Amino acid sequence: MSGSWKDIEQHWIKLRDQSSFDLNIPCVAINKDGDLYETTLWGLTNHIDIPLMLSKQLLFSYLELVITRGEEAAQTEIKQLSAIEVHTFFDELQKFNNRSHSEKFCTVNDVIKAIDIAQDGYNKNPRKMLIVQLGELRADLLLASPPSNDGRN
């Protein structure tokens, strides 16, 4: 946990120096008490309640494919894997996304939306970091510029 924007300067420099966009892209989560946490896009999944039946490895692969090929193509490609495991995965994913919002973040669809926003920020010059403001029942997603010139170069 970091106490201020200046404390996460190195996190911004990691974003600046990242050679490609993937689930290891740094971002920041701010909890309801205002504490800043350095995390990654994959780390955002720690802020959602993932059912035990949902394979974390398949979820990681699915989100990586969403980044490289888009959501529809990712679903098609994942479905070509082991039929039973994939059927269970998409079944659980659908149930999870349909049920009421988690107390932590929301759903996998919200993580996908966060990834899309982060990718927009990654493509800007200077790069902008995804900031996730966690609330009681939902999260606000925004892009922010580096706090100093060190993160801009």
Side-chain angles (χ1 to χ4, degrees), residues 107-118:
T107 67
V108 172
N109 288 343
D110 294 318
V111 174
I112 292 171
K113 181 179 178 184
I115 289 169
D116 288 342
I117 291 170

Side-chain angles (χ1 to χ4, degrees), residues 92-145:
E92 289 299 313
L93 186 62
Q94 189 63 45
K95 285 181 205 171
F96 176 63
N97 282 331
N98 286 342
R99 79 169 195 232
S100 63
H101 289 298
S102 147
E103 293 173 11
K104 292 182 175 183
F105 186 34
C106 291
T107 67
V108 172
N109 288 343
D110 294 318
V111 174
I112 292 171
K113 181 179 178 184
I115 289 169
D116 288 342
I117 291 170
Q119 193 160 29
D120 287 343
Y122 180 84
N123 293 328
K124 301 238 185 267
N125 189 12
R127 288 186 176 152
K128 295 184 179 213
M129 185 175 288
L130 175 70
I131 309 297
V132 180
Q133 173 70 55
L134 301 166
E136 288 292 326
L137 298 175
R138 65 183 191 97
D140 293 317
L141 307 170
L142 61 122
L143 295 172
S145 295

Side-chain angles (χ1 to χ4, degrees), residues 39-133:
T39 190
T40 62
L41 293 176
W42 176 244
L44 291 177
T45 61
N46 293 326
H47 297 281
I48 59 177
D49 294 322
I50 298 174
L52 293 176
M53 292 290 293
L54 196 59
S55 162
K56 287 274 268 192
Q57 183 56 47
L58 264 180
L59 179 60
F60 183 86
S61 298
Y62 175 65
L63 292 175
E64 280 284 325
L65 286 170
V66 167
I67 288 172
T68 58
R69 296 190 177 88
E71 192 171 356
E72 221 171 277
Q75 287 180 6
T76 301
E77 194 162 326
I78 289 285
K79 286 178 182 175
Q80 293 173 358
L81 300 173
S82 164
I84 294 171
E85 187 178 4
V86 171
H87 179 71
T88 302
F89 172 78
F90 280 110
D91 232 17
E92 289 299 313
L93 186 62
Q94 189 63 45
K95 285 181 205 171
F96 176 63
N97 282 331
N98 286 342
R99 79 169 195 232
S100 63
H101 289 298
S102 147
E103 293 173 11
K104 292 182 175 183
F105 186 34
C106 291
T107 67
V108 172
N109 288 343
D110 294 318
V111 174
I112 292 171
K113 181 179 178 184
I115 289 169
D116 288 342
I117 291 170
Q119 193 160 29
D120 287 343
Y122 180 84
N123 293 328
K124 301 238 185 267
N125 189 12
R127 288 186 176 152
K128 295 184 179 213
M129 185 175 288
L130 175 70
I131 309 297
V132 180
Q133 173 70 55

